[in-house]
Amino acid sequence: MPTMNMLQAINNALDIAMAEDEKVICFGEDVGIFGGVFRATSHLQEKYGKARCFNTPLVEQGIIGFANGLAAQGSVPVAEIQFADYIFPAFDQIVNETAKFRYRSGDLFNVGGLTIRTPYGGGIAGGLYHSQSPEAYFTHTPGLKVVVPRNPYQAKGLLLASIRDPDPVLFLEPKRLYRAAVGEVPEDDYQLPIGEAEIIKEGSDITLVGWGAQMEVIGKAVELAEEQGINCEVIDLRSLLPWDADTVAESVLKTGRLVVSHEAPLTGGFAGEIAATIQSRCFLYLESPIARVTGLDTPFPLVLEKEYLPDHLKIFEAIRESVNF
Amino acid sequence: MTQYAHQPVFLTGDEFSIPTFSLLSPEGEPYSEGDAPTLEKDHARRIYHAMLATRILDERMLAAQRQGRLSFYMQCTGEEAAVVGATAALDDADMVMAQYREQGALMYRGFSIDEFMNQLFGNELDYGKGRQMPIHYGSRKLHYMTISSPLATQIPQATGYAYGQKMAGDGHCTLTFFGEGAASEGDFHAALNMASVHQVPVIFFCRNNGYAISTPAVEQFAADGIAPRAFGYHMHVIRVDGNDILAVYEATRQAREIAVERNQPVLIEAMTYRLAAHSSSDDPSGYRSKNEEEAWRVKDPLLRMQKWLLAKGWWSEDEEANEQESLRREVLDTMKRAEKRSPPPLESLISDVYADVTPALQQQFDHLKQHIRRYPEAYPRGAKSLDLSVSTDADSQGGE
Ligand SMILES: Cc1ncc(C[n+]2csc(CCOP(=O)(O)OP(=O)(O)O)c2C)c(N)n1
């Protein structure tokens, strides 16, 4: 099996999707000959031509508005927003249009073919505007799907599933892992299910839930905890909208403890949604309060990024507090 | 007044052609048909000094980035005349709202090399408290709005700021810089429309430098540049040779008169070229040729102004050599100082989010401090501003 980093896996998924279906069209800022600022679309213009892989003018609301129209026509747009931090100019097109197309037309029209890819997250010395994790703004929007892969294998399988999914998908790519995450990725076409969490590691004492880049950090915290004899179950949500409450609830019924971690600020973050749901489904089985380990309720800093981020030590402390409650 | 035609008439705008205003030839000689420039000797030297200092700062800081001393950098190289020339035509108390590549404007207004360095290294003296990436400068004193990374957001803000200036009746205007790429954003169009409807003293200054990261201008717009868009908004517009200091200065000077005396917005399109890479993270060889770059190097705005100054006897080879040498030394010395300074204090994580720290945020922060006390070696910057020998009660009342 070939080894790929996450960018290569994404590029490979796009290549497969474009080769299979000529309706698949990739575009965004610098996506053409240059292959995108991170090189996720490298060589696609060479292979499939300028009509199917191209640079757009620099206007995110235009990119997504255009993509909505294109998807409504029956094409399969894969639009790139260069950084998740710059998705907000397109917010109206996404939350009011993309998400509501099918509903408001009584299914006369839909934009189910649309996939929006965008790099998100911190840990790259990017400061305020190259580090945000905006998932919660979108998980509050019925009609969208929100997917976040954690490694190259997931990225390829989930991206192919997103492109072929009958609903519009926001695909958040953990940019800190673009080159850092390397692993075996099958050359062939394969898909991973959207809406199903994956139990990465079984355990009996406590459940840890996260997604995307945070899974690596959770992994390190779990190593520390296991050295102390705490047996952890680790779940990667993979898809935040819809999210797999059953898998998480089943796990918590078994372990009685839950820690959820994300980089975005605490207040209004997606961990709150998980905590509320699990609390209602597992109330009598909980042995300690559900803990959230998150960014602070502030914009993303630069110099003090390490202090801000929910790292393995902060998660480890939350595990300890939970177990010793 | 409505004019009727009884045969269909489709227009494309090709009917208009917008000339490029230029006063100095690429050899630095004034065109005889041009009006004599109004620049005084001292003012010309101040402008040149800012352009030269910007060039040298850029060279040194790119080198520092390559040595791993700095995380990121963006150069103004090739666009010094456009940026400094426009700023020099303003009153020093007029507002400048820039995109990010306009350090020349700050240099002209007297931002010290120390002030540049403190921001670049995000140390305790950085006005932005180490929160933004390098090159996101700001100075209240010098009327230079702090840079925000999301493109074009400053353009409608400039319209609003200038409307406030008009209401205040203080005789000032706002100039906003942006690239031809950023001019594609919805914010640009909203800004021009509101400015012309509300008769606002704002100057929209587009640096058309040919590229937005890798995207060449031909993939950015199909029309003749940015300038013709002004027609749609019924706005004054001028296109200028952005590598010609005299033309940029003169065009902006007159634009300011229109803005301040008549409360009308003006669009200026400066035709120039981004001689450097987009940023220190970019490699332009993937999307443009060396030949193309070389063709523009010949039109270097700095050399063009230098030749003009030398010919007038307002500058000498000796002064040039001395000035370069002393600027290089100053940049290196201040860089060493800035690198050694402490990071901003841990409290800067939670200040300025709101005017006052909220109770919830204070609780999160106390919890964080408690955590850093437990693992000081994992957070060297944060630990630096905590007195680790004392553990206060407040710190240990953990939150979530
Ligand atoms: C809203 C938004 N989208 C995308 C980006 C990423 N980005 C930063 S600079 C840039 C290109 C800007 O080009 P241009 O406006 O022509 O200015 P230049 O860099 O050429 O000076 C892009 C796409 C951003 N900062 N903000």
Side-chain angles (χ1 to χ4, degrees):
Chain A
M1 221 188 279
T3 305
M4 296 184 195
N5 66 28
M6 192 179 286
L7 281 169
Q8 291 163 331
I10 289 166
N11 184 254
N12 183 233
L14 293 172
D15 193 358
I16 289 173
M18 291 182 87
E20 174 203 60
D21 180 357
E22 63 180 25
K23 290 207 176 102
V24 177
I25 301 177
C26 295
F27 50 89
E29 292 157 16
D30 301 291
V31 157
I33 191 74
F34 194 50
V37 291
F38 291 103
R39 301 294 186 279
T41 54
S42 282
H43 306 299
L44 297 177
Q45 186 175 81
E46 252 164 76
K47 260 177 126 162
Y48 301 103
K50 265 195 156 178
R52 291 185 58 203
C53 177
F54 52 88
N55 290 335
T56 63
L58 212 173
V59 52
E60 292 78 12
Q61 70 179 128
I63 294 170
I64 302 301
F66 176 91
N68 278 334
L70 190 60
Q73 177 272 342
S75 295
V76 183
V78 184
E80 177 179 298
I81 297 294
Q82 201 161 74
F83 285 89
D85 309 73
Y86 306 131
I87 205 163
F88 299 110
F91 199 62
D92 183 46
Q93 281 290 341
I94 298 171
V95 303
N96 271 331
E97 303 302 318
T98 307
K100 299 175 174 103
F101 236 94
R102 195 189 296 275
Y103 185 78
R104 70 154 178 263
S105 70
D107 206 16
L108 286 182
F109 298 97
N110 73 78
V111 295
L114 174 58
T115 303
I116 303 168
R117 297 180 32 247
T118 190
Y120 85 96
I124 55 134
L128 262 73
Y129 295 119
H130 295 86
S131 306
Q132 294 174 74
S133 295
E135 66 269 19
Y137 293 102
F138 298 100
T139 54
H140 195 58
T141 306
L144 286 181
K145 290 185 176 172
V146 179
V147 173
V148 196
R150 74 167 185 280
N151 63 25
Y153 174 77
Q154 303 277 328
K156 178 173 171 182
L158 286 171
L159 181 54
L160 280 166
S162 299
I163 292 170
R164 293 159 182 163
D165 193 273
D167 291 310
V169 178
L170 176 62
F171 192 79
L172 293 165
E173 301 170 0
K175 62 174 150 345
R176 187 167 63 74
L177 303 185
Y178 265 159
R179 292 195 170 82
V182 179
E184 292 197 331
V185 177
E187 235 159 339
D188 301 345
D189 194 339
Y190 65 95
Q191 282 179 217
L192 295 172
I194 291 176
E196 278 180 34
E198 185 192 355
I199 301 172
I200 301 180
K201 182 189 163 308
E202 304 217 10
S204 52
D205 296 337
I206 185 165
T207 303
L208 288 129
V209 169
W211 50 89
Q214 211 47 21
M215 295 317 299
E216 195 197 28
V217 180
I218 289 173
K220 281 196 202 164
V222 165
E223 277 176 32
L224 292 180
E226 306 240 305
E227 280 168 23
Q228 313 255 319
I230 305 168
N231 190 226
C232 304
E233 179 142 310
V234 181
I235 299 176
D236 174 5
L237 229 42
R238 297 198 294 195
S239 162
L240 303 185
L241 192 63
W243 72 281
D244 186 353
D246 289 347
T247 297
V248 180
E250 244 168 72
S251 171
V252 176
L253 290 178
K254 179 175 70 175
T255 63
R257 301 174 195 278
L258 175 63
V259 174
V260 187
S261 178
H262 58 62
E263 288 183 22
L266 177 78
T267 302
F270 197 64
E273 178 59 35
I274 298 171
T277 304
I278 296 306
Q279 190 251 175
S280 78
R281 288 182 52 168
C282 308
F283 185 66
L284 295 176
Y285 294 79
L286 285 171
E287 313 238 8
S288 64
I290 296 169
R292 293 175 286 169
V293 186
T294 69
L296 299 173
D297 281 354
T298 73
F300 204 100
L302 177 79
V303 172
L304 297 174
E305 170 175 69
K306 216 173 153 18
E307 285 69 14
Y308 176 91
L309 279 170
D311 64 359
H312 63 294
L313 293 173
K314 292 177 186 170
I315 296 169
F316 171 60
E317 284 301 318
I319 295 172
R320 273 207 338 189
E321 270 180 41
S322 176
V323 171
N324 298 327
F325 183 75
Chain B
M1 222 188 304
T2 311
Q3 256 185 47
Y4 289 98
H6 303 291
Q7 294 295 326
V9 184
F10 294 97
L11 305 171
T12 63
D14 289 347
E15 297 73 17
F16 309 107
S17 92
I18 301 185
T20 302
F21 174 51
S22 70
L23 290 172
L24 266 188
S25 77
E27 290 71 44
E29 286 156 15
Y31 290 115
S32 52
E33 310 90 314
D35 281 338
T38 50
L39 266 185
E40 305 284 332
K41 176 179 172 186
D42 286 348
H43 197 183
R45 284 171 59 106
R46 178 179 168 195
I47 291 171
Y48 183 69
H49 181 269
M51 288 169 64
L52 184 63
T54 302
R55 178 70 60 95
I56 286 171
L57 178 75
D58 282 0
E59 280 171 11
R60 301 267 59 138
M61 297 326 288
L62 185 72
Q65 196 280 335
R66 294 289 182 249
Q67 295 165 356
R69 293 166 79 174
L70 191 63
S71 59
F72 177 83
Y73 196 75
M74 281 178 122
Q75 296 171 273
C76 179
T77 304
E79 299 176 59
E80 293 94 340
V83 172
V84 180
T87 311
L90 303 177
D91 185 285
D92 279 350
D94 287 339
M95 191 65 190
V96 170
M97 292 195 175
Q99 178 159 306
Y100 49 60
R101 204 184 288 290
E102 296 91 349
Q103 50 266 43
L106 270 173
M107 194 68 89
Y108 174 84
R109 291 221 167 146
F111 205 59
S112 71
I113 303 288
D114 259 318
E115 290 175 298
F116 278 108
M117 289 301 162
N118 293 334
Q119 198 288 327
L120 291 170
F121 287 95
N123 65 28
E124 58 186 335
L125 297 182
D126 168 20
Y127 302 136
K129 305 183 190 172
R131 293 170 180 148
Q132 294 214 71
M133 284 170 71
I135 65 100
H136 289 68
Y137 312 107
S139 170
R140 177 121 208 148
K141 187 179 76 189
L142 299 179
H143 308 280
Y144 189 91
M145 183 66 75
T146 300
I147 304 297
S148 172
S149 310
L151 285 165
T153 48
Q154 81 281 13
I155 313 174
Q157 292 170 15
T159 299
Y161 201 98
Y163 187 78
Q165 290 172 314
K166 172 177 149 181
M167 296 295 282
D170 58 11
H172 285 122
C173 66
T174 295
L175 181 142
T176 178
F177 287 110
F178 49 89
E180 84 289 347
S184 290
E185 293 280 5
D187 278 353
F188 165 87
H189 302 274
L192 267 67
N193 196 29
M194 288 188 76
S196 65
V197 166
H198 292 289
Q199 298 281 288
V200 172
V202 57
I203 301 171
F204 300 103
F205 194 102
C206 178
R207 299 178 290 95
N208 186 341
N209 64 11
Y211 286 87
I213 308 189
S214 74
T215 304
V218 291
E219 293 179 30
Q220 195 65 246
F221 44 74
D224 172 25
I226 304 302
R229 295 180 192 175
F231 299 152
Y233 296 110
H234 196 252
M235 186 180 295
H236 294 280
V237 62
I238 187 167
R239 173 175 284 155
V240 55
D241 179 343
N243 288 19
D244 173 344
I245 187 68
L246 298 184
V248 172
Y249 174 81
E250 187 56 21
T252 314
R253 194 185 65 76
Q254 294 197 24
R256 186 179 189 277
E257 279 178 10
I258 297 172
V260 171
E261 286 166 22
R262 290 149 65 181
N263 277 320
Q264 286 173 8
V266 183
L267 174 64
I268 299 177
E269 183 179 25
M271 307 309 289
T272 180
Y273 190 79
R274 197 192 74 206
L275 271 180
H278 167 68
S279 74
S280 56
S281 317
D282 170 47
D283 173 12
S285 70
Y287 55 83
R288 70 187 193 192
S289 71
K290 275 269 166 276
N291 283 349
E292 181 186 299
E293 290 178 33
E294 288 312 318
W296 276 91
R297 238 167 252 291
V298 179
K299 304 184 206 167
D300 187 330
L302 197 64
L303 290 180
R304 195 184 298 187
M305 182 171 194
Q306 191 196 102
K307 285 179 192 155
W308 177 71
L309 285 174
L310 289 172
K312 286 187 82 86
W314 288 0
W315 191 241
S316 71
E317 303 280 358
D318 277 355
E319 278 178 295
E320 176 76 23
N322 292 339
E323 195 59 32
Q324 285 202 22
E325 169 61 21
S326 86
L327 279 165
R328 285 206 176 90
R329 203 165 341 101
E330 188 185 355
V331 168
L332 281 179
D333 291 348
T334 48
M335 173 158 52
K336 279 185 203 146
R337 273 206 301 278
E339 274 174 320
K340 287 205 197 93
R341 284 197 187 284
S342 292
L346 195 63
E347 280 71 21
S348 68
L349 265 178
I350 56 163
S351 57
D352 308 324
V353 182
Y354 299 100
D356 299 309
V357 174
T358 60
L361 191 46
Q362 187 61 50
Q363 202 187 27
Q364 292 173 26
F365 186 63
D366 291 341
H367 188 63
L368 173 65
K369 279 202 288 191
Q370 190 192 8
H371 179 78
I372 294 176
R373 283 185 199 288
R374 197 187 292 263
Y375 297 100
E377 60 307 319
Y379 310 93
R381 285 175 166 156
K384 204 163 178 166
S385 60
L386 285 183
D387 182 355
L388 296 169
S389 57
V390 287
S391 171
T392 61
D393 282 349
D395 289 359
S396 49
Q397 289 164 3
E400 187 72 31

